Amino acid sequence: MPVKPEILKTETIFKSDHFHVEAVDLRFNNGEERRYERLVGDVQPAAVMIVPMIDEDTVVMIREYGVGVEDYQLTLPKGKLNAGEDILEGANRELKEEIGYGAGNLHILKTITNSPAYMQHTMTIVIAMGLYPEWLVGDEPEPILTEKFKIEDVDELVAREDVTESRTITALYMARDWLKKTFNEDGINL
């Protein structure tokens, strides 16, 4: 295993309500020194993405506007954790705010990074089952539309032009594989 580079200096070069950019000066083991810039994240894990399963075969997705791509995208419920909030509590809160369901059973699939070369942000993917109706008021600027899809159709789903977010694609494949391992063809928990 390689030895990590030495951090010589870090400094904030930009900060707004949503972004904190740091310059990081590093010295590698061979003596080479470089300056990198990174988006600084919160205390990990920073956010959750939930794969809500209305039953063992059907995922509930949301259609939400993404200003970065200036279009509506088909994605999964997600959001930032509140200070001190447990991952599963945050996942259940986000479900209630975005799709109007709580979950009786939540399972962490994996914590992932997005562009670790320049971002500290992490997101924990959670699968939610045993859904029941319950709404919480969230911070969404407009009502979020929901759509249901068969999890087995994930290949066709991610081929769509309105499914481009890498975290959503990752979560869908992970959930499909977890469900296959967890339930046999008769729907019996293994």
Side-chain angles (χ1 to χ4, degrees):
M1 186 75 138
V3 177
K4 293 180 185 179
E6 176 187 0
I7 297 176
L8 303 173
K9 178 181 167 186
T10 61
E11 66 178 296
T12 297
I13 57 175
F14 177 78
K15 194 167 188 175
S16 72
D17 289 340
H18 297 286
F19 298 102
H20 177 182
V21 181
E22 241 178 20
V24 182
D25 295 331
L26 297 175
R27 179 180 298 128
F28 290 83
N29 291 324
N30 63 1
E32 189 73 28
E33 292 184 10
R34 295 281 164 88
R35 174 171 265 212
Y36 291 89
E37 292 178 359
R38 68 180 176 194
L39 288 172
V40 178
D42 296 323
V43 176
Q44 298 181 16
V48 292
M49 175 174 274
I50 308 98
V51 184
M53 300 299 298
I54 202 80
D55 57 40
E56 290 145 15
D57 302 315
T58 311
V59 61
V60 180
M61 297 185 70
I62 62 173
R63 186 164 299 283
E64 189 172 44
Y65 186 75
V67 70
V69 294
E70 299 179 10
D71 204 356
Y72 284 89
Q73 292 282 297
L74 197 54
T75 184
L76 292 165
K78 62 191 159 301
K80 186 174 178 170
L81 294 175
N82 294 329
E85 188 173 41
D86 173 80
I87 294 167
L88 298 180
E89 289 172 2
N92 215 12
R93 176 186 50 76
E94 286 293 336
L95 275 177
K96 293 172 186 178
E97 290 175 0
E98 294 194 7
I99 67 167
Y101 284 98
N105 184 2
L106 295 155
H107 177 78
I108 294 173
L109 295 177
K110 184 174 181 72
T111 297
I112 61 173
T113 59
N114 191 28
S115 303
Y118 65 92
M119 292 175 68
Q120 285 186 329
H121 303 92
T122 63
M123 178 166 275
T124 299
I125 299 171
V126 175
I127 191 165
M129 302 184 80
L131 301 185
Y132 56 89
E134 184 175 340
W135 276 103
L136 284 179
V137 176
D139 60 357
E140 288 72 27
E142 64 181 352
I144 295 176
L145 302 174
T146 61
E147 297 182 38
K148 296 174 185 168
F149 298 91
K150 294 295 180 190
I151 196 74
E152 281 302 313
D153 296 336
V154 69
D155 292 335
E156 293 83 16
L157 186 58
V158 301
R160 293 170 53 135
E161 289 185 19
D162 58 350
V163 179
T164 64
E165 183 185 27
S166 61
R167 300 174 303 180
T168 295
I169 293 168
T170 299
L172 288 169
Y173 278 112
M174 290 179 70
R176 182 198 62 187
D177 292 349
W178 183 84
L179 288 163
K180 281 182 182 178
K181 289 178 190 172
T182 304
F183 296 94
N184 71 15
E185 61 213 29
D186 297 322
I188 298 168
N189 197 345
L190 301 174

